[in-house]
Structure formats: C-alpha cells, structure tokens
Amino acid sequence: MSLLSYRLDESHVVVELWEVVDHDNESTIEQELSRLLPCCGPSTVIVDILTPLLTPRALGVLLRVRGAAEQRGVSIAVVARHETTREVLSAAGLNRVLRVAFSLQGAGLRNQGCGPGAAARTGRARERPERRNAWPDVARRPSKAVGPYTATSLPRFPGN
C-alpha cells in the first residue's frame, strides 16, 4: 500500500488517507506516514482524511505519528472533510492536539506559527511575565462591567 502525497507549497506536504485504518493495515499506514515525515524541508505535514469512517486504530496512528513528528520538529495537521470524522475527533478531544481543519487552506492557516522557530519567523515572540498572574496589561484595563456576560454584552439602561 502506498499513500498518495504531494507538496501543497514549499512548507506543506499533504498525505491523503483514503482507507479505513483497521488491524490489518494499521502498521503499514503508520510506517508510510512516518516515512513521509521529512527530516528537513517542509515544516508541516497535513494528513487529509478522505474516508468518513475514523476508527480508534486510526486515532492511535495519528497520535503516534504526531509524536514522531514532534521529535523531528515537524508539525502535523489533519483535514477532516466528513462530518462524522470531525465528530469522532471532537469526541476524542483531539481537535487542538491534531490541529483539525475542514479544508487544506484551513489546515495551512492553523499551522501558521506552530512550527519550530515560528515566533522568530512571524516576529511575535511570546513574552512571559516574571511572576504568575502578573500580566502587565491587567492593571491598565479600565473596570467597566463585571460578570459572566461582560465580553458578550454591555449593560443597557432605559433612557440612555
């Protein structure tokens, strides 16, 4: 078995997964995906899941390949085109871990700034304060409304 793979652009490799992962082909698919992980070159591998049936064995393969990719400094994204596939990934709590997107463009956008040295490439290094919970902008914020719905609505007063 051979997985179809191609370059989306200079920093993204797409691997299409057409088959349902089961006991018979699990190790073969994992070896193919691991073989396609670059040691240098593209910094992101996008696994495009084209089958609507995502088995627990497929989740295991994706997580193991993600671990191998992290060791090589490569980020992994998953494109889940079918609603049932997205539901399985969501129920397993893997949307953020596997950077799940609906399309190839979305997967590319989800991985911007996620790879090694991303802060240096984007010019946005994440700064941390010296003490925990001591963010400098907290003291400068004006205190307006307080409560659980502060971010979504403003208080309304009749006649104003």
Side-chain angles (χ1 to χ4, degrees), residues 90-125:
S90 178
L94 297 176
N95 284 339
R96 288 189 181 195
V97 172
L98 294 175
R99 296 185 183 104
V100 178
F102 297 123
S103 66
L104 290 175
Q105 291 175 338
L109 292 174
R110 287 199 58 132
N111 275 303
Q112 286 182 347
C114 293
R121 284 194 308 268
T122 60
R124 301 180 315 203

PDB file of all heavy atoms in Angstrom, residues 90-125:
ATOM      1  N   SER A  90     -13.622  15.290  17.613  1.00  0.00           N
ATOM      2  CA  SER A  90     -14.100  16.171  18.677  1.00  0.00           C
ATOM      3  C   SER A  90     -14.441  15.378  19.932  1.00  0.00           C
ATOM      4  O   SER A  90     -14.092  15.788  21.045  1.00  0.00           O
ATOM      5  CB  SER A  90     -15.324  16.946  18.189  1.00  0.00           C
ATOM      6  OG  SER A  90     -15.819  17.763  19.203  1.00  0.00           O
ATOM      7  N   ALA A  91     -15.111  14.243  19.760  1.00  0.00           N
ATOM      8  CA  ALA A  91     -15.478  13.416  20.914  1.00  0.00           C
ATOM      9  C   ALA A  91     -14.234  12.876  21.622  1.00  0.00           C
ATOM     10  O   ALA A  91     -14.228  12.715  22.842  1.00  0.00           O
ATOM     11  CB  ALA A  91     -16.368  12.255  20.471  1.00  0.00           C
ATOM     12  N   ALA A  92     -13.179  12.627  20.869  1.00  0.00           N
ATOM     13  CA  ALA A  92     -11.926  12.141  21.458  1.00  0.00           C
ATOM     14  C   ALA A  92     -11.101  13.279  22.056  1.00  0.00           C
ATOM     15  O   ALA A  92     -10.093  13.039  22.702  1.00  0.00           O
ATOM     16  CB  ALA A  92     -11.107  11.408  20.405  1.00  0.00           C
ATOM     17  N   GLY A  93     -11.536  14.528  21.834  1.00  0.00           N
ATOM     18  CA  GLY A  93     -10.817  15.683  22.374  1.00  0.00           C
ATOM     19  C   GLY A  93      -9.509  15.952  21.659  1.00  0.00           C
ATOM     20  O   GLY A  93      -8.564  16.459  22.266  1.00  0.00           O
ATOM     21  N   LEU A  94      -9.444  15.653  20.379  1.00  0.00           N
ATOM     22  CA  LEU A  94      -8.195  15.785  19.635  1.00  0.00           C
ATOM     23  C   LEU A  94      -8.179  16.951  18.650  1.00  0.00           C
ATOM     24  O   LEU A  94      -7.257  17.061  17.845  1.00  0.00           O
ATOM     25  CB  LEU A  94      -7.896  14.479  18.892  1.00  0.00           C
ATOM     26  CG  LEU A  94      -7.673  13.264  19.776  1.00  0.00           C
ATOM     27  CD1 LEU A  94      -7.497  12.015  18.935  1.00  0.00           C
ATOM     28  CD2 LEU A  94      -6.476  13.481  20.671  1.00  0.00           C
ATOM     29  N   ASN A  95      -9.164  17.834  18.691  1.00  0.00           N
ATOM     30  CA  ASN A  95      -9.210  18.938  17.734  1.00  0.00           C
ATOM     31  C   ASN A  95      -7.979  19.833  17.814  1.00  0.00           C
ATOM     32  O   ASN A  95      -7.424  20.227  16.799  1.00  0.00           O
ATOM     33  CB  ASN A  95     -10.471  19.778  17.933  1.00  0.00           C
ATOM     34  CG  ASN A  95     -11.688  19.088  17.374  1.00  0.00           C
ATOM     35  OD1 ASN A  95     -11.585  18.220  16.527  1.00  0.00           O
ATOM     36  ND2 ASN A  95     -12.849  19.458  17.873  1.00  0.00           N
ATOM     37  N   ARG A  96      -7.575  20.176  19.010  1.00  0.00           N
ATOM     38  CA  ARG A  96      -6.404  21.051  19.154  1.00  0.00           C
ATOM     39  C   ARG A  96      -5.104  20.285  19.033  1.00  0.00           C
ATOM     40  O   ARG A  96      -4.135  20.779  18.485  1.00  0.00           O
ATOM     41  CB  ARG A  96      -6.449  21.779  20.492  1.00  0.00           C
ATOM     42  CG  ARG A  96      -7.489  22.834  20.520  1.00  0.00           C
ATOM     43  CD  ARG A  96      -7.380  23.665  21.750  1.00  0.00           C
ATOM     44  NE  ARG A  96      -8.424  24.660  21.748  1.00  0.00           N
ATOM     45  CZ  ARG A  96      -8.422  25.698  22.528  1.00  0.00           C
ATOM     46  NH1 ARG A  96      -7.451  25.872  23.391  1.00  0.00           N
ATOM     47  NH2 ARG A  96      -9.397  26.574  22.472  1.00  0.00           N
ATOM     48  N   VAL A  97      -5.073  19.083  19.571  1.00  0.00           N
ATOM     49  CA  VAL A  97      -3.843  18.282  19.547  1.00  0.00           C
ATOM     50  C   VAL A  97      -3.425  17.991  18.109  1.00  0.00           C
ATOM     51  O   VAL A  97      -2.251  18.111  17.754  1.00  0.00           O
ATOM     52  CB  VAL A  97      -4.048  16.962  20.327  1.00  0.00           C
ATOM     53  CG1 VAL A  97      -2.865  16.037  20.163  1.00  0.00           C
ATOM     54  CG2 VAL A  97      -4.311  17.247  21.786  1.00  0.00           C
ATOM     55  N   LEU A  98      -4.387  17.631  17.267  1.00  0.00           N
ATOM     56  CA  LEU A  98      -4.090  17.290  15.876  1.00  0.00           C
ATOM     57  C   LEU A  98      -4.326  18.452  14.917  1.00  0.00           C
ATOM     58  O   LEU A  98      -4.183  18.281  13.713  1.00  0.00           O
ATOM     59  CB  LEU A  98      -4.928  16.079  15.442  1.00  0.00           C
ATOM     60  CG  LEU A  98      -4.595  14.768  16.147  1.00  0.00           C
ATOM     61  CD1 LEU A  98      -5.569  13.677  15.732  1.00  0.00           C
ATOM     62  CD2 LEU A  98      -3.165  14.355  15.872  1.00  0.00           C
ATOM     63  N   ARG A  99      -4.710  19.607  15.440  1.00  0.00           N
ATOM     64  CA  ARG A  99      -4.965  20.814  14.626  1.00  0.00           C
ATOM     65  C   ARG A  99      -5.907  20.493  13.471  1.00  0.00           C
ATOM     66  O   ARG A  99      -5.553  20.584  12.298  1.00  0.00           O
ATOM     67  CB  ARG A  99      -3.656  21.389  14.115  1.00  0.00           C
ATOM     68  CG  ARG A  99      -2.753  21.878  15.216  1.00  0.00           C
ATOM     69  CD  ARG A  99      -1.523  22.553  14.643  1.00  0.00           C
ATOM     70  NE  ARG A  99      -0.642  22.938  15.714  1.00  0.00           N
ATOM     71  CZ  ARG A  99       0.481  22.288  16.021  1.00  0.00           C
ATOM     72  NH1 ARG A  99       0.847  21.247  15.320  1.00  0.00           N
ATOM     73  NH2 ARG A  99       1.232  22.690  17.020  1.00  0.00           N
ATOM     74  N   VAL A 100      -7.122  20.114  13.821  1.00  0.00           N
ATOM     75  CA  VAL A 100      -8.111  19.672  12.847  1.00  0.00           C
ATOM     76  C   VAL A 100      -8.698  20.874  12.107  1.00  0.00           C
ATOM     77  O   VAL A 100      -9.026  21.892  12.712  1.00  0.00           O
ATOM     78  CB  VAL A 100      -9.241  18.873  13.542  1.00  0.00           C
ATOM     79  CG1 VAL A 100     -10.301  18.455  12.546  1.00  0.00           C
ATOM     80  CG2 VAL A 100      -8.659  17.653  14.241  1.00  0.00           C
ATOM     81  N   ALA A 101      -8.829  20.730  10.796  1.00  0.00           N
ATOM     82  CA  ALA A 101      -9.418  21.762   9.947  1.00  0.00           C
ATOM     83  C   ALA A 101     -10.391  21.103   8.976  1.00  0.00           C
ATOM     84  O   ALA A 101     -10.397  19.878   8.809  1.00  0.00           O
ATOM     85  CB  ALA A 101      -8.325  22.508   9.188  1.00  0.00           C
ATOM     86  N   PHE A 102     -11.220  21.938   8.321  1.00  0.00           N
ATOM     87  CA  PHE A 102     -12.203  21.439   7.365  1.00  0.00           C
ATOM     88  C   PHE A 102     -11.630  21.317   5.959  1.00  0.00           C
ATOM     89  O   PHE A 102     -12.148  20.595   5.139  1.00  0.00           O
ATOM     90  CB  PHE A 102     -13.417  22.363   7.295  1.00  0.00           C
ATOM     91  CG  PHE A 102     -14.172  22.456   8.579  1.00  0.00           C
ATOM     92  CD1 PHE A 102     -14.387  23.677   9.190  1.00  0.00           C
ATOM     93  CD2 PHE A 102     -14.672  21.338   9.195  1.00  0.00           C
ATOM     94  CE1 PHE A 102     -15.090  23.773  10.371  1.00  0.00           C
ATOM     95  CE2 PHE A 102     -15.379  21.415  10.386  1.00  0.00           C
ATOM     96  CZ  PHE A 102     -15.580  22.642  10.966  1.00  0.00           C
ATOM     97  N   SER A 103     -10.576  22.079   5.652  1.00  0.00           N
ATOM     98  CA  SER A 103     -10.031  22.110   4.302  1.00  0.00           C
ATOM     99  C   SER A 103      -8.511  22.228   4.359  1.00  0.00           C
ATOM    100  O   SER A 103      -7.930  22.490   5.413  1.00  0.00           O
ATOM    101  CB  SER A 103     -10.604  23.294   3.531  1.00  0.00           C
ATOM    102  OG  SER A 103     -10.158  24.504   4.120  1.00  0.00           O
ATOM    103  N   LEU A 104      -7.873  22.071   3.199  1.00  0.00           N
ATOM    104  CA  LEU A 104      -6.424  22.217   3.132  1.00  0.00           C
ATOM    105  C   LEU A 104      -5.993  23.635   3.467  1.00  0.00           C
ATOM    106  O   LEU A 104      -4.992  23.846   4.147  1.00  0.00           O
ATOM    107  CB  LEU A 104      -5.922  21.834   1.742  1.00  0.00           C
ATOM    108  CG  LEU A 104      -5.995  20.361   1.382  1.00  0.00           C
ATOM    109  CD1 LEU A 104      -5.581  20.137  -0.060  1.00  0.00           C
ATOM    110  CD2 LEU A 104      -5.140  19.538   2.313  1.00  0.00           C
ATOM    111  N   GLN A 105      -6.747  24.623   3.003  1.00  0.00           N
ATOM    112  CA  GLN A 105      -6.414  26.014   3.324  1.00  0.00           C
ATOM    113  C   GLN A 105      -6.505  26.260   4.824  1.00  0.00           C
ATOM    114  O   GLN A 105      -5.659  26.921   5.407  1.00  0.00           O
ATOM    115  CB  GLN A 105      -7.350  26.972   2.586  1.00  0.00           C
ATOM    116  CG  GLN A 105      -7.131  27.001   1.104  1.00  0.00           C
ATOM    117  CD  GLN A 105      -8.166  27.866   0.407  1.00  0.00           C
ATOM    118  OE1 GLN A 105      -9.245  28.099   0.938  1.00  0.00           O
ATOM    119  NE2 GLN A 105      -7.830  28.328  -0.782  1.00  0.00           N
ATOM    120  N   GLY A 106      -7.538  25.723   5.438  1.00  0.00           N
ATOM    121  CA  GLY A 106      -7.696  25.877   6.876  1.00  0.00           C
ATOM    122  C   GLY A 106      -6.577  25.214   7.655  1.00  0.00           C
ATOM    123  O   GLY A 106      -6.097  25.742   8.655  1.00  0.00           O
ATOM    124  N   ALA A 107      -6.125  24.057   7.179  1.00  0.00           N
ATOM    125  CA  ALA A 107      -5.015  23.377   7.850  1.00  0.00           C
ATOM    126  C   ALA A 107      -3.736  24.182   7.734  1.00  0.00           C
ATOM    127  O   ALA A 107      -2.959  24.272   8.684  1.00  0.00           O
ATOM    128  CB  ALA A 107      -4.818  21.987   7.248  1.00  0.00           C
ATOM    129  N   GLY A 108      -3.521  24.786   6.590  1.00  0.00           N
ATOM    130  CA  GLY A 108      -2.349  25.635   6.424  1.00  0.00           C
ATOM    131  C   GLY A 108      -2.391  26.833   7.354  1.00  0.00           C
ATOM    132  O   GLY A 108      -1.385  27.208   7.967  1.00  0.00           O
ATOM    133  N   LEU A 109      -3.570  27.430   7.492  1.00  0.00           N
ATOM    134  CA  LEU A 109      -3.716  28.580   8.387  1.00  0.00           C
ATOM    135  C   LEU A 109      -3.582  28.182   9.846  1.00  0.00           C
ATOM    136  O   LEU A 109      -3.025  28.923  10.649  1.00  0.00           O
ATOM    137  CB  LEU A 109      -5.073  29.255   8.154  1.00  0.00           C
ATOM    138  CG  LEU A 109      -5.229  29.956   6.819  1.00  0.00           C
ATOM    139  CD1 LEU A 109      -6.658  30.451   6.651  1.00  0.00           C
ATOM    140  CD2 LEU A 109      -4.242  31.096   6.700  1.00  0.00           C
ATOM    141  N   ARG A 110      -4.088  26.998  10.213  1.00  0.00           N
ATOM    142  CA  ARG A 110      -3.986  26.555  11.616  1.00  0.00           C
ATOM    143  C   ARG A 110      -2.553  26.299  12.025  1.00  0.00           C
ATOM    144  O   ARG A 110      -2.228  26.341  13.196  1.00  0.00           O
ATOM    145  CB  ARG A 110      -4.810  25.293  11.831  1.00  0.00           C
ATOM    146  CG  ARG A 110      -6.283  25.586  11.833  1.00  0.00           C
ATOM    147  CD  ARG A 110      -7.031  24.498  12.482  1.00  0.00           C
ATOM    148  NE  ARG A 110      -6.573  24.287  13.834  1.00  0.00           N
ATOM    149  CZ  ARG A 110      -7.360  24.178  14.874  1.00  0.00           C
ATOM    150  NH1 ARG A 110      -8.639  24.306  14.709  1.00  0.00           N
ATOM    151  NH2 ARG A 110      -6.885  23.936  16.069  1.00  0.00           N
ATOM    152  N   ASN A 111      -1.700  26.018  11.059  1.00  0.00           N
ATOM    153  CA  ASN A 111      -0.313  25.711  11.384  1.00  0.00           C
ATOM    154  C   ASN A 111       0.620  26.904  11.258  1.00  0.00           C
ATOM    155  O   ASN A 111       1.804  26.770  11.508  1.00  0.00           O
ATOM    156  CB  ASN A 111       0.199  24.573  10.515  1.00  0.00           C
ATOM    157  CG  ASN A 111      -0.154  23.254  11.123  1.00  0.00           C
ATOM    158  OD1 ASN A 111       0.207  22.983  12.252  1.00  0.00           O
ATOM    159  ND2 ASN A 111      -0.885  22.452  10.397  1.00  0.00           N
ATOM    160  N   GLN A 112       0.128  28.038  10.849  1.00  0.00           N
ATOM    161  CA  GLN A 112       0.999  29.206  10.811  1.00  0.00           C
ATOM    162  C   GLN A 112       1.398  29.558  12.227  1.00  0.00           C
ATOM    163  O   GLN A 112       0.564  29.707  13.101  1.00  0.00           O
ATOM    164  CB  GLN A 112       0.301  30.397  10.174  1.00  0.00           C
ATOM    165  CG  GLN A 112       0.182  30.274   8.688  1.00  0.00           C
ATOM    166  CD  GLN A 112      -0.473  31.496   8.079  1.00  0.00           C
ATOM    167  OE1 GLN A 112      -1.042  32.329   8.763  1.00  0.00           O
ATOM    168  NE2 GLN A 112      -0.377  31.590   6.780  1.00  0.00           N
ATOM    169  N   GLY A 113       2.669  29.641  12.444  1.00  0.00           N
ATOM    170  CA  GLY A 113       3.158  29.987  13.767  1.00  0.00           C
ATOM    171  C   GLY A 113       3.212  28.824  14.732  1.00  0.00           C
ATOM    172  O   GLY A 113       3.409  29.025  15.909  1.00  0.00           O
ATOM    173  N   CYS A 114       3.048  27.564  14.257  1.00  0.00           N
ATOM    174  CA  CYS A 114       3.055  26.418  15.159  1.00  0.00           C
ATOM    175  C   CYS A 114       4.343  25.620  15.095  1.00  0.00           C
ATOM    176  O   CYS A 114       4.597  24.806  15.952  1.00  0.00           O
ATOM    177  CB  CYS A 114       1.890  25.481  14.828  1.00  0.00           C
ATOM    178  SG  CYS A 114       0.306  26.215  15.190  1.00  0.00           S
ATOM    179  N   GLY A 115       5.130  25.816  14.085  1.00  0.00           N
ATOM    180  CA  GLY A 115       6.325  25.008  13.924  1.00  0.00           C
ATOM    181  C   GLY A 115       7.488  25.513  14.746  1.00  0.00           C
ATOM    182  O   GLY A 115       7.398  26.523  15.444  1.00  0.00           O
ATOM    183  N   PRO A 116       8.603  24.811  14.674  1.00  0.00           N
ATOM    184  CA  PRO A 116       9.780  25.238  15.414  1.00  0.00           C
ATOM    185  C   PRO A 116      10.301  26.557  14.863  1.00  0.00           C
ATOM    186  O   PRO A 116      10.372  26.757  13.664  1.00  0.00           O
ATOM    187  CB  PRO A 116      10.779  24.103  15.172  1.00  0.00           C
ATOM    188  CG  PRO A 116      10.273  23.359  14.007  1.00  0.00           C
ATOM    189  CD  PRO A 116       8.808  23.604  13.915  1.00  0.00           C
ATOM    190  N   GLY A 117      10.633  27.472  15.744  1.00  0.00           N
ATOM    191  CA  GLY A 117      11.134  28.776  15.346  1.00  0.00           C
ATOM    192  C   GLY A 117      10.060  29.669  14.776  1.00  0.00           C
ATOM    193  O   GLY A 117      10.342  30.644  14.098  1.00  0.00           O
ATOM    194  N   ALA A 118       8.804  29.349  15.010  1.00  0.00           N
ATOM    195  CA  ALA A 118       7.701  30.114  14.428  1.00  0.00           C
ATOM    196  C   ALA A 118       7.667  31.535  14.962  1.00  0.00           C
ATOM    197  O   ALA A 118       7.343  32.465  14.242  1.00  0.00           O
ATOM    198  CB  ALA A 118       6.373  29.431  14.708  1.00  0.00           C
ATOM    199  N   ALA A 119       7.994  31.720  16.220  1.00  0.00           N
ATOM    200  CA  ALA A 119       7.969  33.058  16.795  1.00  0.00           C
ATOM    201  C   ALA A 119       8.998  33.943  16.115  1.00  0.00           C
ATOM    202  O   ALA A 119       8.746  35.126  15.875  1.00  0.00           O
ATOM    203  CB  ALA A 119       8.240  32.991  18.300  1.00  0.00           C
ATOM    204  N   ALA A 120      10.127  33.383  15.758  1.00  0.00           N
ATOM    205  CA  ALA A 120      11.151  34.168  15.089  1.00  0.00           C
ATOM    206  C   ALA A 120      10.733  34.501  13.663  1.00  0.00           C
ATOM    207  O   ALA A 120      10.997  35.589  13.171  1.00  0.00           O
ATOM    208  CB  ALA A 120      12.469  33.401  15.074  1.00  0.00           C
ATOM    209  N   ARG A 121      10.036  33.560  12.984  1.00  0.00           N
ATOM    210  CA  ARG A 121       9.599  33.811  11.610  1.00  0.00           C
ATOM    211  C   ARG A 121       8.517  34.868  11.557  1.00  0.00           C
ATOM    212  O   ARG A 121       8.476  35.682  10.659  1.00  0.00           O
ATOM    213  CB  ARG A 121       9.077  32.519  10.983  1.00  0.00           C
ATOM    214  CG  ARG A 121      10.156  31.561  10.577  1.00  0.00           C
ATOM    215  CD  ARG A 121       9.578  30.487   9.669  1.00  0.00           C
ATOM    216  NE  ARG A 121       8.415  29.830  10.219  1.00  0.00           N
ATOM    217  CZ  ARG A 121       8.449  28.723  10.943  1.00  0.00           C
ATOM    218  NH1 ARG A 121       9.599  28.177  11.246  1.00  0.00           N
ATOM    219  NH2 ARG A 121       7.342  28.169  11.383  1.00  0.00           N
ATOM    220  N   THR A 122       7.601  34.830  12.492  1.00  0.00           N
ATOM    221  CA  THR A 122       6.490  35.774  12.455  1.00  0.00           C
ATOM    222  C   THR A 122       6.807  37.065  13.172  1.00  0.00           C
ATOM    223  O   THR A 122       6.054  38.024  13.071  1.00  0.00           O
ATOM    224  CB  THR A 122       5.230  35.161  13.103  1.00  0.00           C
ATOM    225  OG1 THR A 122       5.528  34.825  14.456  1.00  0.00           O
ATOM    226  CG2 THR A 122       4.759  33.943  12.335  1.00  0.00           C
ATOM    227  N   GLY A 123       7.899  37.104  13.924  1.00  0.00           N
ATOM    228  CA  GLY A 123       8.265  38.318  14.644  1.00  0.00           C
ATOM    229  C   GLY A 123       7.437  38.522  15.891  1.00  0.00           C
ATOM    230  O   GLY A 123       7.423  39.610  16.453  1.00  0.00           O
ATOM    231  N   ARG A 124       6.716  37.501  16.328  1.00  0.00           N
ATOM    232  CA  ARG A 124       5.870  37.625  17.513  1.00  0.00           C
ATOM    233  C   ARG A 124       6.341  36.664  18.584  1.00  0.00           C
ATOM    234  O   ARG A 124       5.758  35.622  18.789  1.00  0.00           O
ATOM    235  CB  ARG A 124       4.425  37.296  17.181  1.00  0.00           C
ATOM    236  CG  ARG A 124       3.818  38.155  16.139  1.00  0.00           C
ATOM    237  CD  ARG A 124       2.402  37.721  15.909  1.00  0.00           C
ATOM    238  NE  ARG A 124       2.312  36.267  15.812  1.00  0.00           N
ATOM    239  CZ  ARG A 124       1.360  35.617  15.218  1.00  0.00           C
ATOM    240  NH1 ARG A 124       0.393  36.256  14.658  1.00  0.00           N
ATOM    241  NH2 ARG A 124       1.341  34.306  15.193  1.00  0.00           N
ATOM    242  N   ALA A 125       7.385  37.001  19.256  1.00  0.00           N
ATOM    243  CA  ALA A 125       7.855  36.143  20.340  1.00  0.00           C
ATOM    244  C   ALA A 125       6.916  36.298  21.522  1.00  0.00           C
ATOM    245  O   ALA A 125       6.529  37.401  21.884  1.00  0.00           O
ATOM    246  CB  ALA A 125       9.273  36.527  20.738  1.00  0.00           C
TER     247      ALA A 125
END
